[in-house]
Amino acid sequence: MARKKFLSIAEKRTWLADIFRDITGEYSQADKFKAMIEDTRLAMLDADEAKKEPQQGTLPGIPQELLRHLPPPMPDSSS
């Protein structure tokens, strides 16, 4: 099986978290700060991607918060 060419956003964020949480002294404070900034950028990209994808089971234009307050659908009485 061929190896993937690129890392996923989750893989990149995991790697950056390891840099940010380093306690061995391998990375400087500047490296940790850069990792934190890059992780924030990737989190924003991930959030933007999630907004673009339509959520399953939602109606367009109606916020999910309002839909949670609706009662469950009534059973079909035609049978």
Side-chain angles (χ1 to χ4, degrees):
M1 183 172 184
R3 292 175 51 179
K4 294 187 306 184
K5 190 172 183 178
F6 301 107
L7 296 173
S8 68
I9 289 178
E11 291 169 327
K12 290 177 186 177
R13 292 191 69 201
T14 301
W15 178 69
L16 291 167
D18 289 340
I19 293 172
F20 184 73
R21 293 186 179 116
D22 174 56
I23 57 172
T24 63
E26 182 178 351
Y27 299 103
S28 69
Q29 291 290 17
D31 291 334
K32 291 179 180 185
F33 183 71
K34 290 174 190 175
M36 181 182 64
I37 290 174
E38 186 64 21
D39 181 59
T40 303
R41 188 182 70 78
L42 288 173
M44 290 173 25
L45 280 174
D46 205 19
D48 288 344
E49 296 263 332
K51 285 180 186 176
K52 290 178 185 176
E53 296 173 3
Q55 296 177 349
Q56 296 293 339
T58 60
L59 299 173
I62 300 177
Q64 188 68 21
E65 183 63 33
L66 289 176
L67 292 175
R68 283 191 212 123
H69 296 289
L70 292 175
M74 294 180 61
D76 189 18
S77 61
S78 63
S79 32

